[in-house]
Amino acid sequence: MVQFPWGKAWLAGVRILAPILGLLMAFSAAAGDIVIGTTATFHSAKLNEDRTYQVMLPASYERSPNRTYPVVYVLDGETQFQHTAADAAFLAADGQIPEVIVVGIVSTVRIRDFTQTDWAEAWEGGGGAARFRSFLADEFLPHIASTYRVSPYRALSGHSAGGQFALYVLTEDPALFQGIIAISPSLDWDHRVPLRTLQESIPKRRDIKNFVYFASSDDSGDALKDDQTLAAILKGAASKGIRSIYRPHPQETHTGVALPAQADALRQLFAGYVVPDAVVSKGVANVEAYYARLSSTLGMKISVPASVRNALAFDALHAGRKKEAFAMLHAIIADDPNSPEAFDSLSEAYQSEDSLTEALEASRHARSLADKYDHDNLAYYDRQLARVLRKQKVTDGGK
Amino acid sequence: MVQFPWGKAWLAGVRILAPILGLLMAFSAAAGDIVIGTTATFHSAKLNEDRTYQVMLPASYERSPNRTYPVVYVLDGETQFQHTAADAAFLAADGQIPEVIVVGIVSTVRIRDFTQTDWAEAWEGGGGAARFRSFLADEFLPHIASTYRVSPYRALSGHSAGGQFALYVLTEDPALFQGIIAISPSLDWDHRVPLRTLQESIPKRRDIKNFVYFASSDDSGDALKDDQTLAAILKGAASKGIRSIYRPHPQETHTGVALPAQADALRQLFAGYVVPDAVVSKGVANVEAYYARLSSTLGMKISVPASVRNALAFDALHAGRKKEAFAMLHAIIADDPNSPEAFDSLSEAYQSEDSLTEALEASRHARSLADKYDHDNLAYYDRQLARVLRKQKVTDGGK
């Protein structure tokens, strides 16, 4: 139950899903465009050019004006943004990761920006990594932070040369991104400069924590050896504050690996976000301690997810601790007062008590919030409301 | 090289990607919405209600007015459309699958529509599968076929109760969809009616071919036994025209499995689409025979992908068979006359011959097509054009 947020209607033994309530990014119910985000341009003085970027805001963003969100930055946004954004939305709706903002950075001259050196053997001039890092640190990240409600946690995901750049940032400015995702990084650039730089930088690390996700593809020969070297370097850096995961994907090509690896990386960034049932069954204090420990491990504040608090409230309700249960449900609402899910849940609780007047009020409010904030599944709230009205009618008829 | 379409700039030994040319769904380069598709409503007389659906058209759709595309229909579009659409676009851009149209069907009362029987133990009335199948067969699929350029190949993807419905269609109307994707289907509905119906229907199958992709999640006990029963039934039906793949995902939850399974299913629907290098190296006739065999296996016409034809053309060019190479490049253009990739490729070939006047003309046309059809990476075509102009200048200067 805990793994499926708000899954009140999840019936043990019957593997039929209730409508997934924490739904994906908004689309209009009327004929029209399906919009998953916005794109904008930003003039960079450092790069002396306009840069296009893409932003996906999480489902609760509009209705939660005081909430901040971690940001996952994705290089090569022209190819990597949309699947990353869709995956992040699905995983958040499914309660596997917290809601995040996804920002894609569209490439212009990617080899120029992503490489540390101007390798003569390459077909395009390199060596702009320092300048591109400065663009991120001094211009672009501040721009995003001033435009959107961001929490302090940032991750950077890069593929191929983009992965090379992500590793460069890890060595040059490890505080810039707590999370580093390097998917099939081009380790052989200029006689393995990424590996050499990383090896040199690790002994100098002081009081800084990073998580590094590294995925490789169908490499062989020297490329495979480079992958193994990187995995070993990262593993050996555990005492220097680098938590890492290496995922070989020998069945994936260099380009194709980005699809499964990005989804996997998003989950690993927030590994532990799904609290084990055994912890939930021990009650609220245990759950809070669990997320406090997790926050320390991941290097970001992770509050107890509303779906988990909701599950705890229903556990209390079913155990007959009604006062506690309703207090918890009202606390969820206090923290997220425009959440249709929270009011729908409150209505369920009232219905289980046969408090149909209160249930009706809660369902009406859930429905109006779903309408106001363009919830993907307004029809669900209509049906829930109709159900309460039917129950009330039956009760009134029986009087 | 073959696995990366149009990957002319792919340098052996240097794992840096050239910009991925076959790019993902269009987004505007100016500030604005990122649109991945459209949504519309359709009034169903059979269901006596309006139904909302979502459509993602492939990247080449607008520029290729005579081309038709396979359609992948996705149930529970409110949760499953966006990641499926993003995955399909990525996989097609990467040359792993052909371009497809993805159509999502947003659920209203999903248990009503997806189940064969009105199981008294369920929390919501079922039994509408026959009516929903009729809605698809008699109303919705004809509507899509009359609205978009569709090829005869159709697949249906369903998760949970949606997977149950997909299996129902396989038994009741196997010609409706050649491809059936059942992700963690709810096999236990009404004392395993999906399994029983399937077992009864298989002996009656005549002269019909289907491909079935079945993925399971972290089931245990009876649910796991049901999964194994389904896998065995499908495997045993190979002689009855059912080609099937069973993919257990024991580490995924019932809801979470939809993300990796959908991406995997898309690849399996078109398994073999990526021609092995060994076949390409044997030349055009071998490649054509390969795709003819594949078409027969998959039950759909698969032409030699343009990216593969392009690779063959460059193989011919590098082998000194210039006339053949240019004939092949012009044939690609004849089949897809508005393709910026094809003209960019032609320019590369001319450049390799130092035919800079022809190269310039081809690059100019590639750039204008990229602009006209809102290519995701216009900047790439600008740079390619600038490169040819630079080369010409150097040549002129040397005269």
Side-chain angles (χ1 to χ4, degrees):
Chain A
M1 177 148 180
V2 167
Q3 294 208 353
F4 188 52
W6 308 92
K8 299 171 300 294
W10 184 280
L11 300 186
V14 182
R15 300 189 318 138
I16 307 288
L17 282 186
I20 297 183
L21 299 184
L23 282 164
L24 301 190
M25 301 160 284
F27 67 87
S28 160
D33 290 339
I34 301 173
V35 175
I36 64 154
T38 53
T39 177
T41 56
F42 173 81
H43 182 75
S44 165
K46 301 265 181 197
L47 299 173
N48 192 29
E49 65 183 5
D50 287 340
R51 294 301 296 244
T52 300
Y53 65 96
Q54 307 139 313
V55 178
M56 181 203 73
L57 298 175
S60 74
Y61 193 89
E62 189 195 347
R63 73 159 197 251
S64 309
N66 300 316
R67 199 167 153 189
T68 61
Y69 301 85
V71 185
V72 177
Y73 289 86
V74 182
L75 300 174
D76 291 325
E78 66 279 13
T79 46
Q80 307 298 340
F81 172 77
Q82 292 194 358
H83 69 91
T84 307
D87 287 351
F90 181 93
L91 292 169
D94 192 37
Q96 295 187 51
I97 66 170
E99 290 192 318
V100 296
I101 296 171
V102 178
V103 175
I105 302 171
V106 174
S107 291
T108 54
V109 188
R110 59 196 298 282
I111 297 303
R112 176 199 72 192
D113 289 343
F114 295 161
T115 56
Q116 287 170 252
T117 58
D118 189 10
W119 187 21
E121 290 175 38
W123 76 88
E124 187 144 39
R131 205 168 56 134
F132 193 67
R133 187 212 61 79
S134 164
F135 153 70
L136 291 178
D138 304 328
E139 295 180 335
F140 188 63
L141 268 54
H143 170 68
I144 293 296
S146 69
T147 310
Y148 299 100
R149 283 179 269 114
V150 304
S151 70
Y153 187 85
R154 294 183 293 269
L156 175 67
S157 172
H159 167 253
S160 190
Q164 180 183 347
F165 177 77
L167 293 173
Y168 165 75
V169 171
L170 177 69
T171 65
E172 188 61 28
D173 190 0
L176 195 56
F177 297 95
Q178 293 95 320
I180 294 287
I181 300 169
I183 300 175
S184 208
S186 41
L187 302 175
D188 59 347
W189 181 268
D190 201 355
H191 311 284
R192 301 182 174 74
V193 70
L195 292 175
R196 287 185 282 123
T197 315
L198 192 55
Q199 271 167 321
E200 285 159 22
S201 76
I202 285 171
K204 300 175 198 152
R205 287 175 61 94
R206 294 280 180 277
D207 302 324
I208 185 112
K209 285 185 178 182
N210 291 104
F211 168 70
V212 182
Y213 177 93
F214 162 43
S216 62
S217 64
D218 57 352
D219 291 323
S220 59
D222 284 346
L224 181 59
K225 275 183 213 157
D226 290 347
D227 292 339
Q228 290 161 346
T229 302
L230 176 57
I233 292 172
L234 293 171
K235 202 174 171 189
S239 66
K240 287 292 190 175
I242 291 183
R243 211 165 45 85
S244 68
I245 287 185
Y246 170 43
R247 290 284 172 94
H249 292 261
Q251 78 291 3
E252 298 283 348
T253 66
H254 176 60
T255 50
V257 67
L259 191 67
Q262 193 77 283
D264 188 37
L266 286 169
R267 305 209 283 195
Q268 296 306 327
L269 272 185
F270 306 104
Y273 187 74
V274 178
V275 58
D277 287 343
V279 175
V280 178
S281 64
K282 285 184 195 154
V284 177
N286 257 57
V287 170
E288 283 171 355
Y290 174 89
Y291 281 100
R293 278 195 308 274
L294 182 68
S295 300
S296 167
T297 305
L298 299 185
M300 75 184 98
K301 169 82 182 130
I302 303 266
S303 305
V304 181
S307 56
V308 176
R309 295 167 70 188
N310 185 67
L312 286 163
F314 275 81
D315 283 353
L317 193 67
H318 295 145
R321 306 194 308 273
K322 294 182 188 180
K323 203 176 157 187
E324 183 188 340
F326 279 95
M328 290 165 82
L329 292 170
H330 283 290
I332 296 171
I333 288 172
D335 286 349
D336 195 359
N338 295 322
S339 162
E341 289 86 351
F343 280 96
D344 179 59
S345 217
L346 183 64
S347 170
E348 291 271 347
Y350 280 129
Q351 288 174 59
S352 76
E353 303 292 292
D354 292 322
S355 303
L356 293 183
T357 308
E358 291 83 354
L360 185 61
E361 191 190 346
S363 280
R364 281 207 168 111
H365 196 57
R367 199 268 172 209
S368 81
L369 288 170
D371 189 27
K372 182 173 179 186
Y373 293 105
D374 290 329
H375 198 287
D376 289 338
N377 205 341
L378 186 58
Y380 170 82
Y381 293 96
D382 282 335
R383 283 212 311 287
Q384 292 291 88
L385 182 56
R387 188 175 297 184
V388 182
L389 285 166
R390 267 200 313 275
K391 279 190 189 177
Q392 207 181 37
K393 214 169 170 180
V394 170
T395 310
D396 288 352
K399 268 176 189 168
Chain B
M1 177 148 179
V2 167
Q3 293 208 354
F4 188 52
W6 308 92
K8 298 170 300 295
W10 183 281
L11 301 186
V14 182
R15 300 188 319 137
I16 307 288
L17 281 186
I20 298 183
L21 299 183
L23 281 164
L24 301 190
M25 301 160 284
F27 67 88
S28 160
D33 290 339
I34 301 173
V35 175
I36 64 154
T38 53
T39 177
T41 55
F42 173 81
H43 182 75
S44 166
K46 300 265 181 197
L47 299 173
N48 192 29
E49 66 183 4
D50 287 340
R51 294 302 295 246
T52 301
Y53 64 97
Q54 306 139 313
V55 178
M56 181 202 74
L57 298 175
S60 74
Y61 193 89
E62 189 195 348
R63 73 159 197 251
S64 309
N66 299 315
R67 199 167 153 189
T68 61
Y69 302 86
V71 185
V72 177
Y73 289 86
V74 183
L75 300 174
D76 291 326
E78 66 280 13
T79 47
Q80 307 298 340
F81 172 77
Q82 292 194 358
H83 69 91
T84 307
D87 287 351
F90 181 93
L91 292 169
D94 192 36
Q96 295 187 51
I97 65 170
E99 289 192 318
V100 296
I101 296 171
V102 177
V103 175
I105 302 171
V106 174
S107 291
T108 54
V109 188
R110 60 196 298 282
I111 297 303
R112 176 199 73 192
D113 289 343
F114 295 160
T115 56
Q116 287 170 252
T117 57
D118 189 10
W119 187 21
E121 289 174 39
W123 77 89
E124 188 143 38
R131 205 168 56 134
F132 192 68
R133 187 212 61 78
S134 163
F135 153 70
L136 291 178
D138 304 328
E139 295 180 335
F140 188 63
L141 268 54
H143 169 68
I144 293 296
S146 68
T147 310
Y148 299 100
R149 283 179 268 115
V150 304
S151 70
Y153 187 86
R154 295 183 292 269
L156 175 67
S157 172
H159 167 253
S160 190
Q164 180 183 347
F165 178 77
L167 293 173
Y168 166 74
V169 171
L170 177 69
T171 64
E172 188 61 28
D173 191 359
L176 195 56
F177 298 95
Q178 293 95 320
I180 294 287
I181 300 169
I183 301 175
S184 208
S186 41
L187 301 175
D188 58 347
W189 180 268
D190 201 356
H191 311 284
R192 301 181 173 74
V193 70
L195 292 175
R196 287 185 282 123
T197 315
L198 192 56
Q199 271 167 321
E200 285 159 21
S201 77
I202 285 171
K204 300 174 198 153
R205 287 175 62 94
R206 294 280 180 276
D207 302 324
I208 185 111
K209 285 185 178 182
N210 290 104
F211 168 70
V212 182
Y213 178 93
F214 162 43
S216 62
S217 65
D218 58 352
D219 291 323
S220 59
D222 284 346
L224 181 59
K225 275 183 213 155
D226 289 347
D227 293 339
Q228 290 161 346
T229 303
L230 176 57
I233 292 172
L234 293 171
K235 201 174 172 189
S239 66
K240 287 292 190 175
I242 291 183
R243 210 165 46 85
S244 68
I245 286 184
Y246 170 43
R247 289 283 172 97
H249 292 261
Q251 78 291 4
E252 298 283 349
T253 66
H254 176 61
T255 50
V257 67
L259 192 67
Q262 193 77 283
D264 188 37
L266 286 169
R267 305 209 283 194
Q268 296 306 327
L269 271 185
F270 305 104
Y273 187 74
V274 179
V275 58
D277 287 343
V279 175
V280 178
S281 63
K282 285 185 195 153
V284 177
N286 256 57
V287 170
E288 283 171 354
Y290 174 89
Y291 281 101
R293 278 195 308 274
L294 182 68
S295 300
S296 167
T297 304
L298 299 185
M300 74 184 98
K301 168 82 182 130
I302 303 267
S303 304
V304 181
S307 56
V308 176
R309 295 167 70 188
N310 185 67
L312 287 164
F314 275 81
D315 283 352
L317 193 67
H318 295 145
R321 305 194 309 273
K322 294 183 188 181
K323 203 176 156 187
E324 183 188 340
F326 279 96
M328 289 165 82
L329 292 170
H330 283 291
I332 296 171
I333 288 172
D335 287 349
D336 195 358
N338 295 322
S339 163
E341 289 86 352
F343 280 95
D344 179 58
S345 217
L346 183 65
S347 170
E348 290 271 347
Y350 280 129
Q351 288 174 60
S352 76
E353 303 292 292
D354 292 322
S355 304
L356 294 183
T357 308
E358 292 82 355
L360 185 61
E361 190 190 346
S363 280
R364 281 207 168 111
H365 196 58
R367 200 268 172 209
S368 82
L369 288 170
D371 189 28
K372 181 173 179 185
Y373 293 106
D374 290 328
H375 198 287
D376 289 339
N377 206 340
L378 186 58
Y380 169 82
Y381 292 96
D382 281 334
R383 283 212 311 288
Q384 292 291 88
L385 182 56
R387 188 174 298 184
V388 182
L389 284 166
R390 267 201 312 275
K391 280 189 189 177
Q392 208 181 36
K393 214 169 170 181
V394 170
T395 310
D396 288 352
K399 268 176 190 168

